[in-house]
Amino acid sequence: AGHPVPDEQSVAAARGALQVAHRTADDDLLIVLLSGGASALMALPAEGLTLGDKQETVRRLLKGGATIHELNTVRKHLSAIKGGRLAAATRAAVVTLVISDVVGDDLSVIGSGPTMPDPSTFADALSVLDARGDRASYPAAVVSHLERGERGNIDETPKPDNPHIQRSVARIIGGRMT
């Protein structure tokens, strides 16, 4: 799959992961091995967005000097799998083993946190666009999607009170238990 900009194989990988999650039962255990790079390697655009929209947005953010926290805040809000959405798609308990490439080991940022609660919001993602160019320099579909989310017309990423997220645990490989 493509890195740091996702490609069609990234989309296929994300669809495959969601298919596995959807097939689980209440008494199953979904084990996810997550490492840095997963944000690009497992990418599924949210409804109404294209892979091209996501690619252009990532390129512009990288060119604009976005930090990994900023980049992944936007990625999570343009995704059908990131920001806890993979965990929300399964009926199983989730154990995530994490190989961190993020200073401070923020689990919601590593791989854009597909199995972790997401503290960021659509408003935060819009703030990143404003700080890294301006909204007009990003694809119109991306800006529209984020603005609809900010208004509450699109569900926010799963937060810590989401029952699926509450069934998730993670461990940093070689690090501390979280």
Side-chain angles (χ1 to χ4, degrees), residues 6 10 12 18 21 27 31 43 58 62 68 76 91-92 107 125 133 135-136 139 150 158 160 165-166 176:
S10 306
L18 278 175
D27 60 347
I31 299 173
V58 169
L62 290 171
I68 191 64
K76 289 183 274 188
R91 294 172 39 201
L107 295 172
R135 293 180 195 190
E150 182 183 40
I165 295 296
Q166 291 174 347
R176 60 180 163 59

Side-chain angles (χ1 to χ4, degrees), residues 4-76:
V5 178
D7 61 16
E8 289 293 340
Q9 289 177 302
S10 306
V11 173
R15 284 192 177 126
L18 278 175
Q19 287 174 355
V20 169
H22 286 300
R23 288 194 308 254
T24 60
D26 290 339
D27 60 347
D28 286 337
L29 176 64
L30 179 64
I31 299 173
V32 177
L33 176 60
L34 184 67
S35 67
S39 294
L41 300 173
M42 189 173 68
L44 186 59
E47 187 176 331
L49 297 175
T50 67
L51 176 60
D53 293 331
K54 288 191 74 169
Q55 290 170 325
E56 181 62 23
T57 300
V58 169
R59 284 188 192 102
R60 288 187 182 275
L61 289 168
L62 290 171
K63 186 177 178 183
T67 68
I68 191 64
H69 287 82
E70 291 172 325
L71 181 60
N72 286 358
T73 292
V74 174
R75 283 173 162 161
K76 289 183 274 188

Side-chain angles (χ1 to χ4, degrees), residues 147-160:
E147 288 174 343
R148 285 191 325 257
E150 182 183 40
R151 288 191 304 269
N153 297 331
I154 299 173
D155 287 341
E156 215 6 297
T157 51
K159 304 304 179 204

Side-chain angles (χ1 to χ4, degrees), residues 91-114:
R91 294 172 39 201
V94 180
V95 171
T96 306
L97 304 173
V98 183
I99 302 170
S100 177
D101 66 338
V102 174
V103 174
D105 299 331
D106 183 340
L107 295 172
S108 73
V109 176
I110 302 164
S112 294

